[in-house]
Amino acid sequence: MCAEEEKEEFNPFAPKPACLRASRKRRGRKPPLSAMAAKMGGVSEGDDVLARWSDGLLYLGNVKRVDGVKQCCLVRFEDNSEFWVLRKDIHSCKNSIAPLS
């Protein structure tokens, strides 16, 4: 910036340049649940799952929340404890049970 140029006073109500404006298409939109479930490998809220614990064993739990960005789920276990579990440590019960014929 040249010394000869005058600095403009900050005006919080002045319109922002296009490069600083948030895209109206993306603001406040969440991906559809089906897209998030596909991203999380079919696991969605309310699903019964087997989650691997730090002792290496699998424990039955229920998915309370899904975070597709971090690839993890909040799982409530049978003793009512809740922990975030990585998607790679979660096995869906609905996909692994074969129907009886």
Side-chain angles (χ1 to χ4, degrees):
M1 198 176 199
C2 297
E4 299 163 357
E5 292 181 23
E6 293 182 26
K7 288 187 177 180
E8 293 182 23
E9 288 186 31
F10 175 73
N11 181 356
F13 302 106
K16 294 180 183 177
C19 61
L20 296 178
R21 280 187 227 137
S23 170
R24 293 180 192 263
K25 294 177 185 175
R26 296 178 61 194
R27 188 178 4 183
R29 280 191 153 177
K30 293 183 180 178
L33 291 178
S34 58
M36 185 164 297
K39 188 174 186 178
M40 287 298 295
V43 176
S44 56
E45 292 179 13
D47 287 353
D48 290 325
V49 295
L50 292 173
R52 187 169 311 281
W53 194 243
S54 56
D55 60 5
L57 299 176
L58 296 172
Y59 292 92
L60 182 63
N62 187 277
V63 176
K64 293 300 171 188
R65 286 185 31 198
V66 175
D67 188 334
V69 175
K70 294 182 181 177
Q71 291 288 301
C72 60
C73 298
L74 181 64
V75 178
R76 178 179 287 163
F77 295 95
E78 292 178 307
D79 64 353
N80 285 330
S81 62
E82 291 182 343
F83 293 97
W84 286 97
V85 181
L86 293 174
R87 176 61 187 101
K88 67 180 184 74
D89 295 326
I90 296 175
H91 302 275
S92 177
C93 293
K94 67 181 179 183
N95 294 336
S96 61
I97 300 174
L100 297 173
S101 35

